[in-house]
Amino acid sequence: MFENFDATILARIQFAFTVSFHIIFPAFSIGLASYLAVLEALWLWKKDEVYLELFNFWKTIFAVAFGMGVVSGIVMSYQFGTNWSVFSDKAGPIIGPLMGYEVLTAFFLEAGFLGVMLFGLNRVGPQLHFLATAMVAIGTLISATWILSANSWMQTPRGFEINDVGQFVPVDWWAIVFNPSFPYRLVHMVLAAYLTTAFVVGACGAWHLIRRTAPRRARKMFSMAMWMAAIVAPIQIFAGDMHGLNTLEHQPAKVMAMEGHYQSHPEGAPLILFGIPNSAEKRVDYAIEVPKLSSLILKHDLNAPLAGLDTIAEELHPPVGIVFWSFRIMVGLGFAMLGIGLWSLWCRYRGTLDSNAWLHRAAVAMGPAGFVAVLAGWVTTEVGRQPYTVYGHLLTKDSVAPIAAPAVGASLLAFIIVYFFVFGAGTFYILRLMARLPRDPTPDLDEGPIRTAGAALANPHGGHHGH
């Protein structure tokens, strides 16, 4: 079935598939862990039970998402020893320790305090329980730090030498960990995780406001989520712009593909808003563009020259079509999130945040937007790095293990079937949990008359039927 396929392409598809499933869960759990810490801190500070109710509601969802993230991450990492064993041999002296540090400093911290966070409130007391919640949140951030450091080193490698057998060996761990793209990539990813969580929480709150199932809790979570969207979305757009400038400095071919610049522009490059990249003819067909705006964004000068892909050997070009469109999806969703945040500020100012049905519907529709934007961002950064695994030093075709296409294809097919069943069921369960927000213990007076029909069916003696 797979005999006529390229083993390298199949191995890349398999890794892309598994990492795409995996990144969804950390992107959610990183933000949700911090949200849980904020909820518990507000409960301890304000003594308002609604924060504890929301904490208990979201901690169950966090536990499921965390578990699926761990499982999908372990499965993904196995591929380093199967499909990508040559990469593991060559880059292992650097990538191996970084991933080991992630387990030692982050996963142990998360796993050690997770049980206390989930089950220990009545056993250890509120203060120690809050410490456990904070440790889980910090653990997720440390985990992101190590993983993004490893990935950033592959994008902008520093602090290494290549030994006699072609292995990357460390000579300066500070330069390896804090490589040129690492700070930008870490900030961009953590903010993306917070936005992803904000829009999931906001969608859940909006859904229950529309259905009027738990008004007080829904209002609180929707308000908190919209504050996060309004504050973080503009910061994320600024951080993304800084990350783009860093990428232009260290990975110019990726930015050329993102911008669709097949040709150099010596007197100012246009910003191509939309179009169809045509790699055969080296142009963007049906381009809708703004003259010289790309030079202004990337060089802060309308007439600044920008090099194109014509300055790079064709075999070193990344796949332009994929990078071009994934970048636009990410940016478009980022501005849509900003729009929702600004809209919520306007409604908050007008006093209609809890009653604007169109805002609530838009928030529900934008619930998955963070996940799509994260996936589009990772496609942009990973496909844009091609044809390298270690940028500028190790080609992808030289990283794959010497395995036959049918073997990779069979495992890819197995992954697809198992993942859709297992993670599909897990995702469905999370959605079911979100839909079951417990009703408020005391209905709001403005919600209409309280239905008391059937009250007479209660035991008139006031005791339990078993007595």
Side-chain angles (χ1 to χ4, degrees):
M1 180 176 176
F2 295 99
E3 288 177 358
N4 296 323
F5 285 78
D6 185 307
T8 302
I9 295 296
L10 288 174
R12 287 177 60 191
I13 292 172
Q14 184 177 119
F15 198 86
F17 176 78
T18 53
V19 77
S20 295
F21 260 92
H22 172 66
I23 194 61
I24 286 173
F25 300 111
F28 185 36
S29 60
I30 289 170
L32 193 54
S34 295
Y35 180 55
L36 288 171
V38 170
L39 284 173
E40 190 165 11
L42 288 171
W43 171 60
L44 291 172
W45 176 35
K46 295 188 174 184
K47 309 300 181 185
D48 187 343
E49 290 298 313
V50 73
Y51 293 111
L52 180 61
E53 292 159 3
L54 288 176
F55 174 87
N56 288 327
F57 173 72
W58 284 106
K59 78 176 182 182
T60 306
I61 297 169
F62 171 81
V64 178
F66 181 83
M68 290 196 290
V70 170
V71 172
S72 59
I74 292 172
V75 172
M76 183 191 71
S77 63
Y78 281 151
Q79 292 168 88
F80 288 124
T82 55
N83 297 346
W84 301 98
S85 59
V86 177
F87 167 79
S88 297
D89 175 54
K90 293 181 180 297
I94 290 175
I95 299 297
L98 290 176
M99 296 183 73
Y101 300 153
E102 188 262 339
V103 173
L104 286 171
T105 62
F107 184 70
F108 283 6
L109 186 66
E110 295 171 87
F113 284 98
L114 181 64
V116 178
M117 187 189 85
L118 294 178
F119 309 110
L121 179 58
N122 296 324
R123 292 175 172 84
V124 301
Q127 283 75 25
L128 278 177
H129 186 266
F130 173 67
L131 175 65
T133 305
M135 288 299 102
V136 171
I138 292 169
T140 61
L141 293 172
I142 296 173
S143 180
T145 299
W146 286 116
I147 295 300
L148 286 164
S149 176
N151 181 268
S152 298
W153 179 84
M154 294 165 65
Q155 306 275 350
T156 52
R158 295 291 188 276
F160 69 95
E161 289 179 351
I162 298 178
N163 64 15
D164 296 339
V165 294
Q167 291 178 314
F168 297 86
V169 292
V171 294
D172 184 351
W173 276 109
W174 285 106
I176 290 169
V177 174
F178 298 100
N179 56 79
S181 66
F182 165 67
Y184 302 92
R185 205 176 301 276
L186 177 64
V187 170
H188 198 47
M189 181 61 207
V190 171
L191 291 177
Y194 285 165
L195 275 176
T196 298
T197 303
F199 276 89
V200 172
V201 173
C204 183
W207 171 260
H208 289 284
L209 284 173
I210 292 170
R211 300 183 68 194
R212 304 167 74 89
T213 48
R216 184 163 182 257
R217 302 177 194 189
R219 282 200 300 266
K220 187 65 70 176
M221 74 167 79
F222 185 68
S223 176
M224 294 177 74
M226 290 301 100
W227 272 125
M228 179 64 79
I231 294 169
V232 176
I235 298 174
Q236 175 70 308
I237 291 171
F238 174 75
D241 179 62
M242 298 300 293
H243 185 21
L245 297 178
N246 177 264
T247 305
L248 177 65
E249 179 182 354
H250 298 284
Q251 294 177 295
K254 183 186 293 186
V255 176
M256 295 171 191
M258 288 158 53
E259 298 291 326
H261 291 162
Y262 286 101
Q263 308 300 326
S264 299
H265 295 84
E267 297 179 354
L271 178 65
I272 302 174
L273 300 176
F274 300 104
I276 301 175
N278 186 339
S279 294
E281 301 293 333
K282 301 293 185 289
R283 66 169 187 262
V284 178
D285 295 332
Y286 312 108
I288 300 173
E289 57 186 44
V290 180
K292 301 194 176 187
L293 187 55
S294 187
S295 287
L296 180 65
I297 293 172
L298 293 171
K299 296 286 190 178
H300 305 300
D301 180 357
L302 283 169
N303 299 309
L306 278 181
L309 289 167
D310 55 346
T311 62
I312 298 173
E314 188 167 353
E315 63 270 16
L316 299 181
H317 289 188
V320 178
I322 298 174
V323 178
F324 180 88
W325 277 111
S326 62
F327 176 67
R328 273 147 189 77
I329 291 170
M330 177 186 68
V331 172
L333 287 172
F335 279 101
M337 292 176 183
L338 175 64
I340 293 288
L342 295 176
W343 188 4
S344 74
L345 287 178
W346 174 248
C347 290
R348 198 183 295 274
Y349 171 73
R350 296 284 303 274
T352 60
L353 184 68
D354 303 328
S355 59
N356 191 316
W358 284 107
L359 175 62
H360 300 160
R361 294 188 187 103
V364 171
M366 286 289 289
F371 297 113
V372 179
V374 166
L375 287 172
W378 276 99
V379 168
T380 301
T381 197
E382 295 303 301
V383 177
R385 180 182 58 192
Q386 296 302 319
Y388 295 104
T389 47
V390 180
Y391 194 78
H393 296 276
L394 181 61
L395 291 167
T396 303
K397 64 183 179 67
D398 297 329
S399 304
V400 71
I403 51 179
V408 186
S411 60
L412 171 60
L413 196 59
F415 272 129
I416 292 173
I417 294 171
V418 172
Y419 268 49
F420 274 109
F421 272 104
V422 174
F423 293 107
T427 303
F428 177 74
Y429 180 59
I430 287 177
L431 292 174
R432 288 288 299 273
L433 288 173
M434 289 181 185
R436 292 178 177 177
L437 181 63
R439 290 184 178 274
D440 292 337
T442 54
D444 287 1
L445 294 178
D446 61 355
E447 294 299 320
I450 301 172
R451 297 184 181 274
T452 57
L457 297 176
N459 185 353
H461 301 291
H464 294 289
H465 289 284
H467 286 184

